[in-house]
Amino acid sequence: MRIDIISAVPELMSSSFGHSILKRAIANQLVEVNLINLRDYASNKQKQIDDYAFGGGAGMVLMIEPIDACLKDLKSQRTYDEIIYMSPDGELLNQKICNQLSMQKNIVILCGHYKGIDERVREHLITREISIGDYVLSGGEIAAAVLSDAVIRLLPGVLNDETSALSDSFQDNLLAPPVYTRPAEYQNWGIPPILLSGHSANIDKWRHEQSLERTKSRRPDLLK
Ligand code: ADE
């Protein structure tokens, strides 16, 4: 899979791809992540990518020209399955959307910044808008990093069997069960004895019950 991320401040994202699971996924060529600086597509000497809003107010707005130039350049090199704009107005991200996107070959993620983006970009150039939650971030970069992380960890080979995404919270509409590690006794706080029983079928059953219990009490909406 290839993910092209267009941003006015790509530096904001580089560290999220430089560590741990994502770093390894990129090094092992399971995913290619390409951070693109929108300013490289500005047509004037000042490298301007935003301008005042027609009608006044609203602060600076990202211009359509550099975005269109950037997308044209990208599309001349490959075909994209989705061109996603990160926006609090978009469909709310969930595991199902991540699963869908993880099956795509090439996607573009466009990060908004400043006060907004020329509406014509949204009308004509993008295929999907995604929000990571009902709150407003100062730009789409952190949201793009969240989306990329959630998608990349689902790609075949990125996680090993033990950390398999199949046992994640949400993957079967259930929250994950509690986990514990050594020491088994800490300041009089013990762990459920079944986990020390060595009986894997019973442990699996217990974990499933815990998942159900936790989902019922914390996120009953997932069970509907
Ligand atoms: N840009 C600003 N806020 C956002 C959000 N909640 N989700 C996605 N992109 C955003």
Side-chain angles (χ1 to χ4, degrees):
M1 177 181 206
R2 180 184 167 107
I3 306 178
D4 287 285
I5 307 180
I6 307 170
S7 159
V9 268
E11 309 79 36
L12 260 177
M13 272 170 300
S14 46
S15 77
S16 52
F17 299 105
H19 303 276
S20 181
I21 291 173
L22 300 198
K23 181 183 181 183
R24 209 172 335 120
I26 293 167
N28 293 341
Q29 297 179 5
L30 301 170
V31 63
E32 202 177 332
V33 177
N34 183 30
L35 301 180
I36 300 160
N37 193 335
L38 185 58
R39 240 168 257 285
D40 293 343
Y41 291 88
S43 56
N44 56 10
K45 268 210 199 98
Q46 298 77 29
K47 298 271 173 206
Q48 185 185 359
I49 52 170
D50 58 353
D51 210 336
Y52 294 101
F54 281 125
M60 301 298 269
V61 176
L62 283 180
M63 299 155 80
I64 191 170
E65 280 170 316
I67 294 171
D68 193 30
C70 180
L71 289 174
K72 281 199 171 105
D73 184 22
L74 293 177
K75 288 191 223 167
S76 72
Q77 298 167 59
R78 55 185 59 76
T79 309
Y80 287 94
D81 303 300
E82 294 278 13
I83 298 176
I84 299 163
Y85 174 52
M86 300 312 299
S87 157
D89 309 356
E91 56 184 317
L92 209 50
L93 184 63
N94 58 29
Q95 194 63 45
K96 188 168 157 223
I97 296 175
C98 297
N99 291 349
Q100 277 171 5
L101 290 175
S102 73
M103 286 181 266
Q104 310 288 20
K105 199 159 177 287
N106 301 309
I107 63 172
V108 173
I109 305 178
L110 172 63
C111 305
H113 221 244
Y114 310 111
K115 196 62 199 174
I117 195 165
D118 191 305
E119 187 66 17
R120 292 166 292 185
V121 171
R122 300 168 72 170
E123 284 170 4
H124 303 291
L125 301 180
I126 65 159
T127 61
R128 191 164 192 175
E129 300 197 12
I130 293 178
S131 164
I132 64 160
D134 290 340
Y135 41 81
V136 180
L137 301 165
S138 45
E141 284 74 16
I142 293 171
V146 167
L147 175 63
S148 304
D149 183 302
V151 169
I152 292 170
R153 61 196 299 289
L154 298 174
L155 299 176
V158 170
L159 301 181
N160 55 33
D161 278 352
E162 281 198 348
T163 54
S164 162
L166 290 175
S167 60
D168 284 347
S169 278
F170 300 113
Q171 209 47 277
D172 45 11
N173 266 359
L174 291 178
L175 301 181
V179 293
Y180 302 86
T181 187
R182 287 188 294 178
E185 192 76 26
Y186 180 71
Q187 294 182 359
N188 269 338
W189 297 325
I191 69 168
I194 185 150
L195 296 176
L196 300 171
S197 70
H199 195 303
S200 63
N202 285 354
I203 292 172
D204 285 349
K205 187 167 164 275
W206 178 84
R207 286 190 170 137
H208 185 68
E209 287 161 4
Q210 291 290 315
S211 278
L212 265 175
E213 209 44 52
R214 185 163 276 204
T215 311
K216 252 187 231 160
S217 64
R218 299 185 185 197
R219 291 293 307 276
D221 56 297
L222 292 174
L223 294 171
K224 288 198 188 102

